[in-house]
C-alpha cells in the first residue's frame, strides 16, 4: 500500500522539486554576469553544433510536406498554388518548431542530463558546493539561458531550410512550379505565423533544457542512474513539448 501511494504521489513530488530548482535558478540570475563564458560555451554546444541535424530534418520535412500535400490536393478543380499556401504556414507555425524540439530533446536534452548526471554520481556537484560555488547557477542557469537564446535561432534556420526543401521537392517532382508555389505562399502569408513559431521555440527551449537539467542534477544510482536520467530527460521533454504545443495553440490561435 505504501509503495502504491509513493507511485501515485511521485509526479507531484517531482513537479514540486522541479519548481524549487527553477526558483533557485531564478535567484541565481542576479549573478548571471559571472557565468558569461559558460553561457557562450553552452550556446555553441546547444545551437551551433545542432544546426546540421536540424537543417537536415527541416529540409526533408519541407520536401515530404510538399509531396504529400500535392498528392492529396492536386486536382483539376484546385489550383496548384494551394500547395505553397499549405506548406509554408505548416512549416512556420508547426513543423519547424516541433521537429526541431523533438530532435533537440534527444540531442541536447540527453547530453545535458548525461553531463549533469555524471557530475552528480561522481560527486563533482558536491565538490562545487563544498568549494562555495552555487552549483545551480554555475551548471543549470547557463544551459537554460543558452537554450532559450539559441532555440529561436534554430527555429529560423529550420524555417528557411524547410522552405528551400519544399522548393526543391516542387521542382524535382514537377507537381507545382516554383512561381505557383511562391504565389500561393504569398497570397496566404500571415505575419502571426512566424511570431507564433518563435514563441513556441522560446517555450520549448526553456522546457527542454530545464527538464534535462533537473533530471541530470538529481540523478541517483551510478552509471545505471545516468542512463535512466538520460532516457527520462528525452522522453519527458518530448511529452512536455506536445502538451505545451497544444496549450499555446489554444491560448494564442
Amino acid at each position: 500500500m505504501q509503495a502504491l501511494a509513493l507511485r501515485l504521489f511521485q509526479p507531484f513530488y517531482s513537479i514540486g522539486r522541479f519548481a524549487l530548482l527553477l526558483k533557485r535558478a531564478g535567484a541565481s540570475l542576479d549573478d548571471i554576469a559571472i557565468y558569461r563564458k559558460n553561457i557562450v560555451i553552452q550556446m555553441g554546444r546547444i545551437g551551433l553544433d545542432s544546426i546540421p541535424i536540424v537543417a537536415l530534418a527541416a529540409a526533408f520535412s519541407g520536401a515530404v510536406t510538399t509531396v504529400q500535400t500535392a498528392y492529396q490536393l492536386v486536382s483539376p478543380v484546385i489550383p496548384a498554388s494551394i500547395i505553397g499556401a499549405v506548406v509554408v504556414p505548416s512549416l512556420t507555425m508547426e513543423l519547424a518548431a516541433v521537429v526541431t524540439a523533438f530532435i533537440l530533446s534527444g540531442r541536447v536534452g540527453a547530453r545535458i542530463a548525461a553531463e549533469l548526471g555524471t557530475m552528480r554520481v561522481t560527486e563533482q556537484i558536491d565538490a562545487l558546493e563544498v568549494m562555495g560555488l552555487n552549483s545551480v547557477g554555475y551548471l543549470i542557469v547557463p544551459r537554460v539561458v543558452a537554450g532559450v537564446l539559441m532555440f529561436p535561432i534554430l527555429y529560423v534556420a529550420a524555417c528557411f531550410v524547410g522552405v528551400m526543401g519544399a522548393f526543391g521537392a516542387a521542382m524535382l517532382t514537377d507537381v507545382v512550379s516554383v512561381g505557383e508555389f511562391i504565389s500561393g505562399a504569398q497570397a496566404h502569408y500571415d505575419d502571426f505565423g512566424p511570431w507564433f513559431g518563435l514563441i513556441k521555440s522560446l517555450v520549448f527551449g526553456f522546457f527542454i533544457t530545464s527538464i534535462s537539467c533537473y533530471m541530470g542534477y538529481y540523478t541517483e544510482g551510478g552509471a545505471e542512474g545516468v542512463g535512466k536520467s538520460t532516457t527520462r530527460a528525452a522522453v519527458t521533454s518530448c511529452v512536455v513539448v506536445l502538451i505545451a504545443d497544444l496549450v499555446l495553440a489554444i491560448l494564442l490561435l
Side-chain angles (χ1 to χ4, degrees):
M1 190 68 181
Q2 184 179 4
L4 177 61
L6 288 174
R7 290 181 67 89
L8 289 175
F9 286 101
Q10 181 63 35
F12 299 100
Y13 171 75
S14 298
I15 292 172
R17 191 161 65 162
F18 176 65
L20 291 175
L21 183 65
L22 291 182
K23 182 180 178 181
R24 289 182 60 190
S28 303
L29 288 174
D30 294 338
D31 303 322
I32 196 169
I34 302 175
Y35 313 121
R36 285 196 305 266
K37 183 178 179 181
N38 203 4
I39 291 174
V40 173
I41 293 172
Q42 293 302 324
M43 287 174 68
R45 291 178 180 176
I46 292 173
L48 299 180
D49 293 350
S50 300
I51 288 178
I53 184 63
V54 168
L56 181 66
F60 279 95
S61 296
V64 170
T65 305
T66 300
V67 174
Q68 291 184 345
T69 303
Y71 171 75
Q72 299 200 12
L73 294 182
V74 168
S75 74
V77 195
I78 303 175
S81 60
I82 197 68
I83 297 174
V86 171
V87 171
V88 174
S90 297
L91 285 169
T92 57
M93 296 186 70
E94 184 67 16
L95 290 176
V98 174
V99 170
T100 299
F102 282 164
I103 291 173
L104 296 181
S105 294
R107 187 194 179 281
V108 174
R111 180 184 62 79
I112 289 175
E115 285 178 350
L116 297 186
T118 302
M119 294 183 71
R120 171 62 73 184
V121 299
T122 56
E123 299 182 349
Q124 294 180 54
I125 293 179
D126 296 331
L128 289 174
E129 296 285 353
V130 170
M131 292 167 58
L133 288 174
N134 180 356
S135 62
V136 172
Y138 183 75
L139 298 173
I140 293 178
V141 170
R143 287 170 169 82
V144 176
V145 171
V148 172
L149 292 176
M150 295 307 296
F151 271 53
I153 296 175
L154 291 173
Y155 160 76
V156 172
C159 286
F160 176 77
V161 177
V163 172
M164 292 301 102
F167 283 161
M171 289 187 295
L172 290 175
T173 58
D174 201 29
V175 294
V176 58
S177 67
V178 174
E180 288 177 315
F181 188 96
I182 294 175
S183 66
Q186 289 177 335
H188 297 83
Y189 177 77
D190 183 3
D191 289 335
F192 180 71
W195 285 110
F196 182 57
L198 280 173
I199 292 171
K200 290 205 294 188
S201 65
L202 285 168
V203 174
F204 295 165
F206 170 77
F207 278 123
I208 290 171
T209 50
S210 61
I211 289 171
S212 301
C213 286
Y214 167 77
M215 295 295 181
Y217 191 80
Y218 289 113
T219 296
E220 297 176 348
E224 183 180 357
V226 174
K228 289 180 179 179
S229 295
T230 302
T231 303
R232 286 172 184 163
V235 173
T236 305
S237 296
C238 288
V239 173
V240 172
V241 162
L242 291 173
I243 295 172
D245 188 30
L246 175 60
V247 172
L248 289 172
I250 293 172
L251 294 176
L252 299 178
L253 294 181

